[in-house]
Amino acid sequence: KAGVTQTPRYLIKTRGQQVTLSCSPISGHRSVSWYQQTPGQGLQFLFEYFSETQRNKGNFPGRFSGRQFSNSRSEMNVSTLELGDSALYLCASSFLAGGSKFFGPGTRLTVL
Amino acid sequence: QQQVKQSPQSLIVQKGGISIINCAYENTAFDYFPWYQQFPGKGPALLIAIRPDVSEKKEGRFTISFNKSAKQFSLHIMDSQPGDSATYFCAASDNYGQNFVFGPGTRLSVLP
Protein backbone atom coordinates (compact mmCIF):
# COMPACT_ATOMS: atom_id res chain seq x y z
CA LYS A 1 0.00 0.00 0.00
CA ALA A 2 1.30 3.43 -0.83
CA GLY A 3 1.88 5.70 2.12
CA VAL A 4 0.62 9.19 2.75
CA THR A 5 1.74 11.59 0.06
CA GLN A 6 2.04 15.33 0.39
CA THR A 7 2.59 17.90 -2.32
CA PRO A 8 4.51 19.99 -2.80
CA ARG A 9 7.44 18.89 -0.66
CA TYR A 10 9.00 22.34 -0.54
CA LEU A 11 7.48 25.75 -0.97
CA ILE A 12 8.81 29.30 -0.75
CA LYS A 13 6.35 32.17 -0.45
CA THR A 14 6.48 35.80 0.57
CA ARG A 15 4.55 37.52 3.32
CA GLY A 16 0.96 38.27 2.44
CA GLN A 17 0.63 35.50 -0.11
CA GLN A 18 -1.55 32.47 0.32
CA VAL A 19 -0.66 28.82 -0.06
CA THR A 20 -2.47 25.52 -0.56
CA LEU A 21 -0.98 22.22 0.54
CA SER A 22 -2.28 18.85 -0.54
CA CYS A 23 -2.43 15.47 1.16
CA SER A 24 -3.42 12.08 -0.20
CA PRO A 25 -4.10 9.55 2.56
CA ILE A 26 -3.39 5.86 2.54
CA SER A 27 -5.95 4.06 0.41
CA GLY A 28 -9.02 3.25 2.51
CA HIS A 29 -8.22 5.79 5.22
CA ARG A 30 -11.00 8.27 5.78
CA SER A 31 -9.46 10.48 8.43
CA VAL A 32 -6.86 13.15 7.72
CA SER A 33 -5.19 15.33 10.34
CA TRP A 34 -2.87 18.28 9.83
CA TYR A 35 -0.04 19.37 12.11
CA GLN A 36 2.42 22.24 12.15
CA GLN A 37 5.95 21.58 13.33
CA THR A 38 8.46 24.38 13.84
CA PRO A 39 12.17 23.81 14.62
CA GLY A 40 12.57 22.38 18.09
CA GLN A 41 8.82 22.37 18.63
CA GLY A 42 6.42 19.54 18.94
CA LEU A 43 3.47 18.71 16.79
CA GLN A 44 0.88 21.47 16.89
CA PHE A 45 -2.55 20.17 15.88
CA LEU A 46 -4.32 22.15 13.19
CA PHE A 47 -7.46 20.19 12.31
CA GLU A 48 -8.85 16.76 11.58
CA TYR A 49 -11.27 15.72 8.88
CA PHE A 50 -13.30 12.55 8.66
CA SER A 51 -15.62 11.80 5.74
CA GLU A 52 -15.40 15.40 4.52
CA THR A 53 -16.39 16.84 7.93
CA GLN A 54 -14.10 18.74 10.25
CA ARG A 55 -14.12 16.86 13.56
CA ASN A 56 -11.58 18.82 15.56
CA LYS A 57 -9.77 22.09 15.26
CA GLY A 58 -6.66 23.27 17.03
CA ASN A 59 -5.88 26.72 18.35
CA PHE A 60 -4.82 28.43 15.14
CA PRO A 61 -6.10 31.66 13.61
CA GLY A 62 -8.76 31.65 10.93
CA ARG A 63 -6.08 32.17 8.27
CA PHE A 64 -5.58 28.42 8.47
CA SER A 65 -8.34 26.42 6.84
CA GLY A 66 -8.79 23.03 5.34
CA ARG A 67 -11.14 20.74 3.57
CA GLN A 68 -11.52 17.11 2.61
CA PHE A 69 -12.86 15.75 -0.62
CA SER A 70 -15.06 12.72 -1.23
CA ASN A 71 -11.99 10.63 -2.15
CA SER A 72 -10.52 11.51 1.30
CA ARG A 73 -7.81 13.71 -0.17
CA SER A 74 -7.36 16.86 1.86
CA GLU A 75 -6.06 20.34 1.33
CA MET A 76 -5.07 23.02 3.80
CA ASN A 77 -4.88 26.67 2.97
CA VAL A 78 -3.03 29.45 4.70
CA SER A 79 -3.94 32.97 3.70
CA THR A 80 -2.03 36.20 4.32
CA LEU A 81 1.18 34.38 5.14
CA GLU A 82 3.34 35.60 8.01
CA LEU A 83 7.01 34.91 8.69
CA GLY A 84 5.99 32.77 11.66
CA ASP A 85 4.11 30.40 9.38
CA SER A 86 7.43 28.97 8.19
CA ALA A 87 7.27 25.37 9.30
CA LEU A 88 7.00 21.74 8.33
CA TYR A 89 3.35 20.93 7.71
CA LEU A 90 2.53 17.31 8.31
CA CYS A 91 -0.49 15.37 7.23
CA ALA A 92 -1.48 12.10 8.89
CA SER A 93 -4.13 9.63 7.86
CA SER A 94 -5.94 6.96 9.82
CA PHE A 95 -8.57 4.39 9.02
CA LEU A 96 -10.80 5.58 11.82
CA ALA A 97 -11.02 9.02 13.37
CA GLY A 98 -8.55 9.03 16.23
CA GLY A 99 -7.02 5.71 15.21
CA SER A 100 -3.36 4.94 14.52
CA LYS A 101 -2.00 7.86 12.55
CA PHE A 102 0.40 7.46 9.65
CA PHE A 103 2.29 10.54 8.64
CA GLY A 104 3.39 11.82 5.28
CA PRO A 105 6.84 13.32 4.67
CA GLY A 106 5.55 16.85 5.15
CA THR A 107 5.66 20.07 3.19
CA ARG A 108 8.42 22.47 4.16
CA LEU A 109 7.01 26.00 3.86
CA THR A 110 9.36 28.96 3.98
CA VAL A 111 7.88 32.45 4.18
CA LEU A 112 10.24 35.27 3.22
CA GLN B 1 -6.28 17.14 31.40
CA GLN B 2 -5.77 16.73 27.68
CA GLN B 3 -1.99 17.03 27.90
CA VAL B 4 0.61 14.33 27.74
CA LYS B 5 3.80 15.14 29.61
CA GLN B 6 7.07 13.74 28.31
CA SER B 7 10.56 13.63 29.78
CA PRO B 8 13.41 14.12 29.36
CA GLN B 9 13.45 16.82 26.71
CA SER B 10 16.77 15.50 25.43
CA LEU B 11 18.78 12.39 26.12
CA ILE B 12 22.33 11.34 25.33
CA VAL B 13 23.19 7.66 25.53
CA GLN B 14 26.28 5.67 24.67
CA LYS B 15 26.06 3.01 21.99
CA GLY B 16 24.84 -0.21 23.54
CA GLY B 17 23.15 1.53 26.43
CA ILE B 18 19.48 1.68 27.37
CA SER B 19 17.43 4.74 26.43
CA ILE B 20 14.37 5.43 28.57
CA ILE B 21 11.72 8.04 27.78
CA ASN B 22 8.79 8.61 30.12
CA CYS B 23 5.29 9.95 29.54
CA ALA B 24 2.40 10.73 31.86
CA TYR B 25 -1.24 11.54 31.25
CA GLU B 26 -4.28 12.64 33.26
CA ASN B 27 -7.25 11.74 31.09
CA THR B 28 -8.47 8.31 32.20
CA ALA B 29 -10.43 7.99 28.95
CA PHE B 30 -7.18 7.51 27.04
CA ASP B 31 -6.85 3.89 25.98
CA TYR B 32 -4.36 3.86 23.14
CA PHE B 33 -0.72 4.88 23.58
CA PRO B 34 1.54 4.97 20.52
CA TRP B 35 5.12 6.06 20.16
CA TYR B 36 6.48 7.81 17.09
CA GLN B 37 10.04 8.17 15.82
CA GLN B 38 11.02 11.14 13.69
CA PHE B 39 14.27 11.68 11.82
CA PRO B 40 15.26 15.20 10.70
CA GLY B 41 13.35 16.31 7.63
CA LYS B 42 10.98 13.34 7.77
CA GLY B 43 7.48 12.78 9.05
CA PRO B 44 6.99 10.87 12.32
CA ALA B 45 6.72 7.11 11.91
CA LEU B 46 4.64 4.87 14.14
CA LEU B 47 7.10 2.81 16.16
CA ILE B 48 5.11 0.79 18.67
CA ALA B 49 1.80 1.13 20.49
CA ILE B 50 0.08 -0.33 23.55
CA ARG B 51 -3.41 -0.55 24.98
CA PRO B 52 -4.02 -0.55 28.75
CA ASP B 53 -5.02 -4.20 28.95
CA VAL B 54 -1.33 -5.17 28.94
CA SER B 55 1.53 -3.83 31.05
CA GLU B 56 4.31 -4.36 28.55
CA LYS B 57 4.80 -4.76 24.82
CA LYS B 58 8.06 -5.60 23.14
CA GLU B 59 9.04 -5.32 19.49
CA GLY B 60 12.68 -6.04 18.84
CA ARG B 61 14.81 -3.65 20.85
CA PHE B 62 11.82 -1.41 21.64
CA THR B 63 9.62 -1.99 24.70
CA ILE B 64 6.67 -0.04 26.06
CA SER B 65 5.99 -0.34 29.78
CA PHE B 66 2.55 0.78 30.92
CA ASN B 67 1.43 1.58 34.47
CA LYS B 68 -2.31 2.19 34.45
CA SER B 69 -2.63 3.11 38.12
CA ALA B 70 0.12 5.71 37.87
CA LYS B 71 -1.09 6.86 34.44
CA GLN B 72 2.40 6.57 33.08
CA PHE B 73 4.03 4.79 30.19
CA SER B 74 7.57 4.62 28.96
CA LEU B 75 9.66 3.61 25.97
CA HIS B 76 12.80 1.57 26.51
CA ILE B 77 15.32 1.18 23.71
CA MET B 78 17.71 -1.64 24.47
CA ASP B 79 21.20 -1.81 22.95
CA SER B 80 20.79 1.73 21.61
CA GLN B 81 22.46 2.39 18.28
CA PRO B 82 23.57 5.62 16.57
CA GLY B 83 20.84 4.96 13.99
CA ASP B 84 18.28 5.36 16.79
CA SER B 85 19.22 9.02 17.10
CA ALA B 86 15.94 10.80 16.42
CA THR B 87 13.12 12.63 18.14
CA TYR B 88 10.59 10.42 19.89
CA PHE B 89 7.00 11.43 20.56
CA CYS B 90 4.60 9.65 22.84
CA ALA B 91 0.89 10.08 22.25
CA ALA B 92 -2.45 9.13 23.74
CA SER B 93 -5.91 8.74 22.29
CA ASP B 94 -9.35 7.87 23.59
CA ASN B 95 -11.61 5.19 22.16
CA TYR B 96 -13.79 7.63 20.35
CA GLY B 97 -10.90 9.45 18.76
CA GLN B 98 -12.06 12.80 20.02
CA ASN B 99 -8.67 13.38 21.55
CA PHE B 100 -5.35 12.37 20.04
CA VAL B 101 -2.64 14.16 21.97
CA PHE B 102 1.12 14.16 21.39
CA GLY B 103 3.81 14.72 23.99
CA PRO B 104 6.35 17.49 23.33
CA GLY B 105 9.04 15.07 22.15
CA THR B 106 12.44 13.80 23.29
CA ARG B 107 15.54 14.30 21.21
CA LEU B 108 17.71 11.19 21.56
CA SER B 109 21.38 11.17 20.60
CA VAL B 110 23.24 7.87 20.69
CA LEU B 111 26.99 8.36 20.72
CA PRO B 112 29.15 5.87 18.78
Side-chain angles (χ1 to χ4, degrees):
Chain A
K1 243 182 195 180
V4 178
T5 58
Q6 292 187 245
T7 56
R9 291 293 313 280
Y10 302 92
L11 207 48
I12 299 175
K13 293 286 187 179
T14 56
R15 278 183 301 170
Q17 287 187 308
Q18 77 164 22
V19 66
T20 298
L21 312 181
S22 181
C23 171
S24 293
I26 292 171
S27 177
H29 285 195
R30 295 165 61 191
S31 175
V32 173
S33 303
W34 288 90
Y35 293 85
Q36 181 196 65
Q37 187 175 38
T38 50
Q41 298 299 309
L43 298 160
Q44 304 298 314
F45 173 70
L46 281 154
F47 25 68
E48 180 184 15
Y49 288 87
F50 182 78
S51 295
E52 302 179 65
T53 301
Q54 188 181 87
R55 294 184 73 248
N56 282 313
K57 190 178 190 308
N59 190 25
F60 276 82
R63 300 185 296 107
F64 292 81
S65 63
R67 59 178 176 169
Q68 186 180 32
F69 302 95
S70 58
N71 61 358
S72 294
R73 191 176 69 84
S74 177
E75 288 181 348
M76 70 162 279
N77 184 278
V78 187
S79 62
T80 319
L81 284 166
E82 300 177 359
L83 295 178
D85 296 333
S86 294
L88 180 67
Y89 289 87
L90 293 160
C91 164
S93 77
S94 57
F95 180 68
L96 298 172
S100 298
K101 293 185 186 294
F102 296 87
F103 283 85
T107 293
R108 172 76 61 187
L109 172 64
T110 302
V111 182
L112 303 176
Chain B
Q1 195 180 24
Q2 302 304 324
Q3 284 185 327
V4 174
K5 296 179 181 179
Q6 184 173 348
S7 63
Q9 188 175 14
S10 63
L11 180 62
I12 299 175
V13 173
Q14 292 287 339
K15 178 182 175 182
I18 302 173
S19 303
I20 302 174
I21 304 171
N22 300 300
C23 286
Y25 64 97
E26 290 293 328
N27 188 347
T28 55
F30 287 150
D31 67 350
Y32 174 67
F33 303 91
W35 284 88
Y36 287 82
Q37 178 189 57
Q38 184 181 29
F39 294 106
K42 307 289 186 183
L46 180 62
L47 190 61
I48 186 173
I50 196 169
R51 293 199 180 269
D53 52 341
V54 296
S55 60
E56 185 175 282
K57 183 174 182 180
K58 184 176 180 179
E59 288 184 5
R61 296 184 294 108
F62 300 90
T63 300
I64 299 179
S65 297
F66 184 79
N67 185 329
K68 189 174 182 178
S69 60
K71 291 184 283 187
Q72 295 175 347
F73 58 109
S74 59
L75 176 69
H76 295 234
I77 306 174
M78 312 299 288
D79 187 25
S80 298
Q81 300 296 313
D84 297 330
S85 298
T87 299
Y88 293 81
F89 294 94
C90 63
S93 173
D94 62 32
N95 187 45
Y96 299 102
Q98 291 297 325
N99 299 295
F100 196 111
V101 184
F102 283 92
T106 295
R107 175 174 274 185
L108 171 66
S109 296
V110 182
L111 304 179

